[in-house]
Amino acid sequence: MRIAVIGGGPGGLYFAALAKQLCRDHEIVVWERNAMDDTFGFGVVFSDQTLDGIEHADAEIFAAMEREFARWDDIDVHFRGQVLTSGGHGFAAMSRRRLLQILQQRCGALGVDVRFRAVAPDVELLSAEFDLVVACDGLNSTVRSQLAASFRPTLEARDCKYMWLGTDKVFDAFKFYIAETPFGAMQVHGYPYDRHGSTFIVEMTEQVWKAAGFAAFAGDAVVPGASDDRSVDIIRELFADVIDGHRILTNNSKWINFTTVRNESWHHANVVLLGDAAHTAHFSIGSGTKLAMEDALALAACLHEQPDVAAALEAYEAERRPVVLSTQRAAQASLEWFENLQQYVHQDPLQFAFNIMTRSRRVTYDNLRMRDPEFVAQVDTWFAEHEADRGVTAGIGRPPMFQPLKVRGLELVNRIAVSPMDMYMAEDGLPTDFHLVHLGGKALGGAALVFTEMVCVSAEGRITPGCTGIYTDDQAERWGRITEFVHARSDAKIAIQLGHSGRKGSTRLMWEGMDDPLPGGNWEIVAPSPIPYRPGLSQVPVELTVDRMRAIKQQFVDAARRADAAGFDLLELHCAHGYLLSSFISPITNRRSDEFGGSLENRLRFPLEVYRAIRAVWPEHKPTSVRISATDWYDGGVTGDEAVTIASAFADAGADLIDVSSGQVTPDERPAFGRSYQTPFADRIRNEAGIATMAVGIISSYDDVNSILLAGRADLCLLGRAHLYDPNWTLHAAAEQTYSGPGAKWPAPWRAGARRPQTGRTEGPGPRLELIREGATATAHGRWTP
């Protein structure tokens, strides 16, 4: 084959070397516009997994790299005068310049034609002349731009400004320095890369960047390749204690915003993207060089394994895309954490350190405990003592999810709640035996708090004919039977969620057609504005008059009184998911021109009136919560910024907890589904506004629950589908963590099943195979010493 490679960075050179190694008959030409000894940046970091691949792919390259590595295990978090260390992480780094030299030498030895200071011919010409064109031309790829119609790229510039620097101070571990300056919080990401220096990346939000005066130099004309020396002078002053008399090194160092690159396709005809041209991931979870070299290995292997170029490119993208998407999801979580750094600086240093370690969701409570059990035990102890200071009987040695929580006069034995889930099994609004078994079973299963489904305040406020209500005394009496069972047979508490369907009412049961209208409409539906949920399919709602709004408010008040009489422990007002109160809040569904429409303050007016009215009749010692949609996942809808304002408004009115959900306001939404995908909204409201929150949304493992709680991202975790799959989820989570105690009590008749049963054949006890037994493996706390 004749192969053209555009870009002589690590990805392009590594691909060329591997492809040439696999077939010496390949003719491979690499065009690199810079000189042989030009390089930008300082160090590059590799994971053990990537290094395993490099070692097996080309032992000669790996051996040369290994001789250069700075290796260490620890991460140090420097925050508020303390240094908090977590070990067991395992890093290897080296100079980017030295890496390029190794790859250049290997390409030369294999006979790859590498042309420096050479601009590649047009991609259309190369595509016609060569069998394969590999575009490794970086973040600002000209190939990607030229063939944008085929690759369909999106480039998302983020908020934070950062500058890539170096220092001749040789760090002995990975370093996070958090500086609380008069301008706001700034951070340094630092790590050693050889015996002479360390990478030193300074990052801050644009708001902080402007406040610190850096924007004043943004208009300065900087010669290509030169650095922003005036900014570097300020950085030297701001981080003088970190540098400690050492030099700050520059190399084309300027302020930039990180750009996340995604492409819907990575190949077109015989042209393929590799590395930053195809994708980027924020530097806080690794290096672009690592991803590019992994791409190179996969592409070379697929070319060798597949019968032709087309099949090879399909195989390459199929293999690499899931890996890259996973990395980008983690990187997105990490970069958003740093964008929101200011909201965490109030945290205790130990909790802050745990939070920063688990920010990407790749490192979790259990994962970190495997790496450094001593560090996690420290944070566990801090959490228990902190909760005890808040007036509960906390216990040291418990997993975080089994620490109690007190809200007003309500004490919960653990931090797990069963999320509200519509069952559509009511008869004329009456809960049935199904609800008794469903909710009673979840209470027996160990959750501290069990939510009803949305219980409707009127017959016309139901979503479907199968929805429950509490608009009659008979319904309240039926609910009382369920609350009595929960209180008598478990340690759980039970919460009622009150709501009105609004424009999403009068529809079929879920399994008959979700959101499909009932034949003939059945009953009139209402909304703040006459906008149907699905134009052309859904009923057009009647716009509410002020008089009808007053009547609905009274229905909520009557329902709250009945809920108290029925024995519920907590009342939640449903202001999410596009139902009536939610549709007042969202500008997508509220187009009113009176005092209940327009500004967010006006759109909140009626939901707040309803909340205050039910709070006035709900007993003082019983808490209330409000479920909100923190974003509509649609342009022009509610945003995460507004969610903080919404939550604060309800908290000011007396709400004790905010149940932070999202979306379901418009069928045109585009949610970013994924593990714990709504937790960042709960996190922001809790830490920015100082309001207790409940996290909900694809939280399904106890590991994620412990991570969320210990990092201070929420106070309670709501699990829905996980409890449908396993009604005893909480008890089983306790058994998996070998916890038994007040946070997870098995019902007396079930205690014989409190341990996981054996499954299948297991190996019996084995013979001694060591003359002297080795002790338990200690946490690796290796530091880099040149």
Side-chain angles (χ1 to χ4, degrees):
M1 288 177 60
R2 300 190 70 226
I3 302 173
V5 180
I6 304 174
L13 292 173
Y14 189 49
F15 165 77
L18 294 179
K20 187 72 171 177
Q21 181 190 143
L22 288 170
C23 181
R24 295 301 180 102
D25 293 333
H26 287 332
E27 177 190 339
I28 304 177
V29 182
V30 180
W31 281 269
E32 170 52 48
R33 64 183 179 179
N34 294 308
M36 178 183 287
D37 57 351
D38 282 350
T39 185
F40 304 107
F42 295 90
V44 293
V45 184
F46 296 96
S47 66
D48 290 340
Q49 186 179 43
T50 303
L51 292 178
D52 286 345
I54 294 172
E55 181 178 12
H56 291 103
D58 190 317
E60 194 167 322
I61 288 175
F62 177 78
M65 290 173 62
E66 190 174 37
R67 288 191 289 271
E68 306 289 334
F69 283 148
R71 287 187 178 272
W72 70 95
D73 298 294
D74 284 351
I75 298 175
D76 290 343
V77 179
H78 296 251
F79 179 56
R80 287 204 198 155
Q82 295 188 36
V83 181
L84 300 110
T85 300
S86 172
H89 296 277
F91 293 97
M94 65 182 298
S95 159
R96 178 180 169 86
R97 182 185 298 275
R98 186 69 190 105
L99 174 62
L100 284 170
Q101 290 171 351
I102 290 168
L103 295 171
Q104 289 165 2
Q105 291 164 6
R106 182 62 170 150
C107 284
L110 290 167
V112 175
D113 180 4
V114 184
R115 303 175 183 179
F116 293 100
R117 294 187 183 277
V119 176
D122 183 83
V123 66
E124 299 287 358
L125 295 175
L126 290 177
S127 178
E129 185 178 346
F130 286 79
D131 301 302
L132 174 66
V133 180
V134 183
C136 320
D137 52 344
L139 171 67
N140 300 311
S141 169
T142 56
V143 173
R144 186 186 64 228
S145 297
Q146 191 170 336
L147 299 177
S150 298
F151 295 129
R152 301 184 300 283
T154 57
L155 280 70
E156 181 187 10
R158 300 300 303 192
D159 175 63
C160 280
K161 296 280 189 181
Y162 73 97
M163 184 182 289
W164 210 284
L165 300 161
T167 175
D168 60 2
K169 179 176 182 176
V170 180
F171 297 134
D172 58 357
F174 198 103
K175 301 282 190 176
F176 288 117
Y177 290 95
I178 310 301
E180 295 180 76
T181 74
F183 317 109
M186 304 178 184
Q187 66 265 14
V188 167
H189 311 246
Y191 58 86
Y193 59 79
D194 64 16
R195 66 183 60 249
H196 304 295
S198 302
T199 294
F200 191 84
I201 305 169
V202 180
E203 186 181 27
M204 65 198 72
T205 65
E206 184 157 357
Q207 181 180 357
V208 174
W209 179 78
K210 288 177 177 176
F214 293 114
F217 315 137
D220 289 2
V222 179
V223 177
S227 298
D228 180 354
D229 293 329
R230 294 173 71 186
S231 289
V232 174
D233 288 341
I234 296 177
I235 289 170
R236 192 177 288 111
E237 292 177 19
L238 286 168
F239 294 99
D241 58 329
V242 175
I243 297 303
D244 193 26
H246 289 78
R247 292 185 299 149
I248 286 183
L249 310 174
T250 60
N251 182 351
N252 193 31
S253 301
K254 305 178 184 71
W255 291 111
I256 50 179
N257 293 73
F258 186 83
T259 300
T260 301
V261 174
R262 301 178 180 89
N263 286 276
E264 291 187 34
S265 176
W266 292 1
H267 65 278
H268 164 70
N270 64 339
V271 181
V272 64
L273 302 177
L274 186 149
D276 283 356
H279 47 72
T280 59
H282 193 253
F283 54 82
S284 60
I285 69 156
S287 70
T289 298
K290 165 191 173 299
L291 284 174
M293 291 181 72
E294 290 174 350
D295 283 354
L297 193 158
L299 179 58
C302 289
L303 285 169
H304 185 67
E305 293 166 355
Q306 300 298 325
D308 54 46
V309 169
L313 299 189
E314 289 286 348
Y316 158 70
E317 186 166 343
E319 178 180 325
R320 284 297 294 160
R321 183 178 286 278
V323 178
V324 169
L325 287 176
S326 175
T327 301
Q328 286 187 315
R329 282 193 295 270
Q332 186 78 5
S334 182
L335 76 84
E336 287 176 2
W337 193 94
F338 284 109
E339 285 177 344
N340 296 312
L341 173 66
Q342 190 67 49
Q343 74 188 34
Y344 302 117
V345 294
H346 70 279
Q347 290 187 326
D348 181 271
L350 259 176
Q351 184 176 47
F352 181 90
F354 180 86
N355 197 350
I356 200 171
M357 299 291 178
T358 58
R359 68 194 181 279
S360 73
R361 288 176 253 167
R362 275 194 163 179
V363 175
T364 60
Y365 177 86
D366 274 1
N367 180 276
L368 196 55
R369 189 169 58 174
M370 287 179 62
R371 297 169 189 241
D372 192 342
E374 296 90 353
F375 173 75
V376 173
Q378 271 186 291
V379 189
D380 274 343
T381 299
W382 171 85
F383 187 70
E385 292 172 347
H386 178 264
E387 296 308 297
D389 290 342
R390 295 170 67 183
V392 296
T393 310
I396 291 173
R398 299 185 200 181
M401 64 181 286
F402 294 112
Q403 296 291 358
L405 177 69
K406 188 171 184 180
V407 188
R408 294 202 184 213
L410 179 67
E411 185 162 339
L412 303 175
V413 297
N414 61 51
R415 302 303 184 93
I416 302 300
V418 178
S419 191
M421 293 176 284
D422 288 319
M423 293 290 109
Y424 309 106
M425 293 295 288
E427 298 170 359
D428 293 325
L430 291 163
T432 63
D433 286 348
F434 180 92
H435 295 89
L436 173 65
V437 174
H438 165 61
L439 297 171
K442 304 302 181 293
L444 291 172
L449 184 64
V450 178
F451 275 90
T452 67
E453 60 197 75
M454 183 176 88
V455 179
C456 304
V457 297
S458 67
E460 298 76 20
R462 292 175 298 163
I463 307 166
T464 75
C467 291
T468 58
I470 194 164
Y471 45 87
T472 71
D473 292 340
D474 286 346
Q475 292 164 352
E477 186 177 338
R478 290 280 191 97
W479 282 117
R481 178 175 174 234
I482 295 170
T483 63
E484 285 174 12
F485 178 88
V486 170
H487 293 147
R489 298 295 181 182
S490 76
D491 287 336
K493 307 300 180 183
I494 184 164
I496 186 169
Q497 184 188 70
L498 294 182
H500 187 297
S501 60
R503 71 173 187 160
K504 295 176 79 174
S506 191
T507 61
R508 296 174 184 267
L509 302 181
M510 179 180 67
W511 46 86
E512 294 175 350
M514 181 176 281
D515 297 321
D516 288 348
L518 290 168
N522 203 282
W523 66 76
E524 180 183 77
I525 59 175
V526 296
S529 301
I531 304 168
Y533 181 63
R534 294 188 300 174
L537 295 172
S538 301
Q539 249 191 96
V540 177
V542 173
E543 180 172 324
L544 282 170
T545 63
V546 173
D547 286 343
R548 293 189 73 176
M549 289 162 60
R550 287 196 194 101
I552 289 173
K553 180 169 66 174
Q554 187 59 47
Q555 290 169 352
F556 274 97
V557 170
D558 294 341
R561 286 196 176 103
R562 288 191 177 99
D564 177 40
F568 285 102
D569 303 296
L570 181 148
L571 185 152
E572 176 164 286
L573 185 63
H574 200 336
C575 295
H577 298 171
Y579 298 121
L580 181 64
L581 298 181
S582 167
S583 62
F584 268 91
I585 297 171
S586 174
I588 294 171
T589 48
N590 184 344
R591 307 285 175 80
R592 298 175 74 98
S593 57
D594 62 5
E595 68 269 31
F596 297 100
S599 67
L600 178 58
E601 180 183 5
N602 283 357
R603 300 195 311 270
L604 273 168
R605 193 182 304 277
F606 181 59
L608 284 170
E609 283 184 8
V610 172
Y611 173 77
R612 292 189 184 103
I614 62 172
R615 180 67 265 186
V617 300
W618 187 247
E620 181 67 21
H621 68 281
K622 290 186 178 183
T624 60
S625 62
V626 178
R627 172 166 276 197
I628 67 169
S629 284
T631 175
D632 290 339
W633 300 111
Y634 190 77
D635 288 344
V638 168
T639 65
D641 289 342
E642 288 181 319
V644 177
T645 303
I646 293 165
S648 297
F650 281 110
D652 290 344
D656 303 288
L657 290 158
I658 302 298
D659 179 356
V660 188
S661 189
S662 71
Q664 301 181 50
V665 171
T666 169
D668 300 321
E669 67 180 6
R670 299 191 66 182
F673 281 121
R675 182 171 132 245
S676 306
Y677 74 110
Q678 293 175 155
T679 299
F681 299 113
D683 182 357
R684 181 175 179 186
I685 289 168
R686 185 181 192 274
N687 286 290
E688 187 173 317
I691 303 166
T693 61
M694 297 185 273
V696 64
I698 315 184
I699 302 169
S700 54
S701 74
Y702 62 78
D703 189 19
D704 282 338
V705 170
N706 285 327
S707 301
I708 289 166
L709 295 170
L710 201 55
R713 295 172 190 142
D715 299 271
L716 275 170
C717 288
L718 274 61
L719 284 75
R721 290 178 178 86
H723 278 112
L724 296 181
Y725 179 78
D726 179 4
N728 299 330
W729 185 91
T730 305
L731 294 178
H732 291 157
E736 293 286 339
Q737 296 172 86
T738 65
Y739 169 75
S740 61
K745 286 185 182 177
W746 285 74
W750 292 2
R751 284 177 192 156
R755 289 186 299 173
R756 173 188 276 212
Q758 289 188 358
T759 55
R761 179 183 177 276
T762 58
E763 295 292 340
R768 176 193 283 265
L769 298 176
E770 297 171 310
L771 180 60
I772 299 174
R773 293 191 194 277
E774 292 185 7
T777 303
T779 300
H781 277 295
R783 315 284 285 189
W784 165 237
T785 304

